[in-house]
Amino acid sequence: MNISLVREDDGTHNFGKLYIDDLYFGETLEDTDRYLEAGGEKVQDDTAIPRGRYKVTVSMSNRFGRPMPEVHDVPGFTGVRIHGGNTTEDTAGCPLLGAVRTASGIANCKGVNERLMDRLHAAAARNEDVWLEVS
């Protein structure tokens, strides 16, 4: 399964769209894109993950106390998860996933994140690798 996060940085918010196997899935919000893949400097808890291709699995999150999508081997980051949240205050580098975009972030996160977990569990049952491509 291929997940694509396509950023639409507007200079104020780092909005984007998430696609699964080229089909639109939801809205994203991230911290500031500091172009780490091009040599930008990371600001702790206020920097989006670098563009790239990352393996995704489901694992137990100590912070959230439940299984969640984990993004592996992100340079300069640990514990990156795809999860719900409404503003950049709700993330420390993790991509947030919601159903709609608002003036200050995203909303209606629960359902779309549950659907993502369903898709990830189905891929695991098929022994299918899951990849996240951030562009």
Side-chain angles (χ1 to χ4, degrees), residues 4-5 20 24 26 32 34 40 49 54 64 83 99 107 115 129:
S4 301
L5 192 162
I20 296 181
Y24 172 77
T32 303
R34 300 184 192 283
I49 64 174
Y54 307 104
F64 292 97
H83 61 87
R115 288 193 308 277
D129 287 338

Side-chain angles (χ1 to χ4, degrees), residues 57-133:
T57 63
V58 174
S59 66
M60 181 59 76
S61 166
N62 291 331
R63 177 179 172 202
F64 292 97
R66 66 181 188 268
M68 296 181 66
E70 180 178 1
V71 182
H72 295 274
D73 301 320
V74 179
F77 290 78
T78 59
V80 175
R81 305 266 178 188
I82 300 171
H83 61 87
N86 301 115
T87 71
T88 55
E89 298 297 315
D90 299 324
T91 181
C94 297
L96 302 179
L97 176 61
V100 297
R101 192 178 287 188
T102 69
S104 61
I106 57 175
N108 300 346
C109 301
K110 185 176 180 182
V112 70
N113 279 278
E114 287 174 350
R115 288 193 308 277
L116 176 61
M117 287 296 293
D118 291 345
R119 298 287 297 270
L120 293 172
H121 286 306
R126 295 187 302 268
N127 290 319
E128 181 180 354
D129 287 338
V130 177
W131 295 94
L132 170 65
E133 180 81 29

Side-chain angles (χ1 to χ4, degrees), residues 11-41:
T12 305
H13 300 92
N14 199 15
F15 288 117
K17 296 199 180 298
L18 194 83
Y19 299 86
I20 296 181
D21 293 331
D22 296 323
L23 297 174
Y24 172 77
F25 194 79
E27 298 294 321
T28 63
L29 181 67
E30 298 177 89
D31 282 322
T32 303
D33 183 359
R34 300 184 192 283
Y35 300 92
L36 298 179
E37 69 283 348
E41 251 185 79

